[in-house]
């Protein structure tokens, strides 16, 4: 499938979802805290409320994706990337078949990688929320 002018960037996310392998070339910011306690990580991912607006992780992802989709709908129709509806299935299948070991986070990982791929198809490789999250994911997978 060709996902438009940023196809190579989308393919990078798809390839990562197949093997969770990446080149160790990115450094983690000192603002990132690695959580090794699986129960604490699960609580932070599903239950914790962040900020004054009291959003959980799912709310934050949805708000960020609403901006991505806003960009998509402002694009002329002939410039919009095609095949975005297939990305969820492709990435879900890849993660399911991979050696990903934290099955309790399967849906979150699939959603995050799919959102990153969709963002890349629409916006390219910019310094967006999803691009930063993808960069962090690639580094953390290598270190563990």
């Amino acid at each position: 499938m060709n996902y438009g002018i940023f196809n190579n960037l989308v393919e990078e996310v798809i390839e990562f979802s197949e093997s969770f392998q990446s080149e160790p070339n990115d450094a983690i910011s000192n603002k990132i805290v690695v959580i090794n306690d699986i129960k604490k990580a699960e609580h932070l991912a599903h239950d914790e409320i962040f900020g004054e607006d009291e959003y959980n992780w799912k709310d934050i992802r949805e708000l960020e994706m609403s901006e991505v989709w806003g960009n998509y709908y402002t694009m002329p129709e002939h410039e919009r990337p095609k095949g975005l509806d297939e990305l969820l299935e492709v990435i879900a299948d890849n993660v399911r078949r991979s050696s990903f070991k934290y099955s309790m986070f399967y849906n979150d990982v699939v959603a995050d990688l799919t959102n990153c791929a969709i963002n890349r198809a629409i916006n390219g490789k910019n310094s967006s929320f999803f691009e930063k999250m993808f960069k962090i994911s690639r580094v953390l997978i290598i270190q563990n």
Side-chain angles (χ1 to χ4, degrees):
M1 171 59 74
N2 186 328
Y3 300 101
I5 62 171
F6 299 117
N7 185 68
N8 61 325
L9 300 175
V10 175
E11 290 292 338
E12 183 181 2
V13 177
I14 293 170
E15 288 171 17
F16 180 74
S17 73
E18 292 172 344
S19 63
F20 291 95
Q21 299 295 313
S22 186
E23 294 297 319
N25 60 358
D26 297 325
I28 296 181
S29 165
N30 59 0
K31 296 178 184 179
I32 304 302
V33 176
V34 177
I35 307 295
N36 292 314
D37 178 340
I38 198 74
K39 291 290 186 192
K40 184 175 182 179
E42 187 175 22
H43 169 74
L44 291 170
H46 299 135
D47 302 321
E48 185 72 14
I49 302 298
F50 301 95
E52 292 178 12
D53 294 325
E54 297 185 358
Y55 292 129
N56 65 22
W57 181 242
K58 182 179 176 188
D59 296 332
I60 294 167
R61 273 197 320 229
E62 289 174 359
L63 285 168
E64 293 293 333
M65 274 310 288
S66 69
E67 290 183 29
V68 173
W69 287 118
N71 291 344
Y72 175 81
Y73 289 113
T74 60
M75 298 171 91
E77 194 163 334
H78 69 279
E79 291 180 14
R80 292 179 185 168
K82 308 292 185 239
L84 299 183
D85 53 338
E86 298 171 13
L87 280 171
L88 175 62
E89 185 176 335
V90 168
I91 290 174
D93 286 345
N94 287 347
V95 173
R96 191 177 303 110
R97 288 191 306 259
S98 76
S99 60
F100 182 70
K101 61 184 177 181
Y102 300 109
S103 61
M104 69 183 63
F105 295 112
Y106 169 82
N107 290 329
D108 293 303
V109 169
V110 169
D112 291 343
L113 289 175
T114 301
N115 289 342
C116 182
I118 291 170
N119 176 65
R120 281 181 161 202
I122 295 167
N123 297 315
K125 190 175 184 178
N126 58 30
S127 61
S128 74
F129 172 83
F130 291 106
E131 195 60 35
K132 290 174 187 172
M133 191 168 54
F134 183 57
K135 181 178 181 180
I136 292 166
S137 299
R138 291 172 42 201
V139 172
L140 290 177
I141 293 294
I142 291 168
Q143 292 184 353
N144 288 324

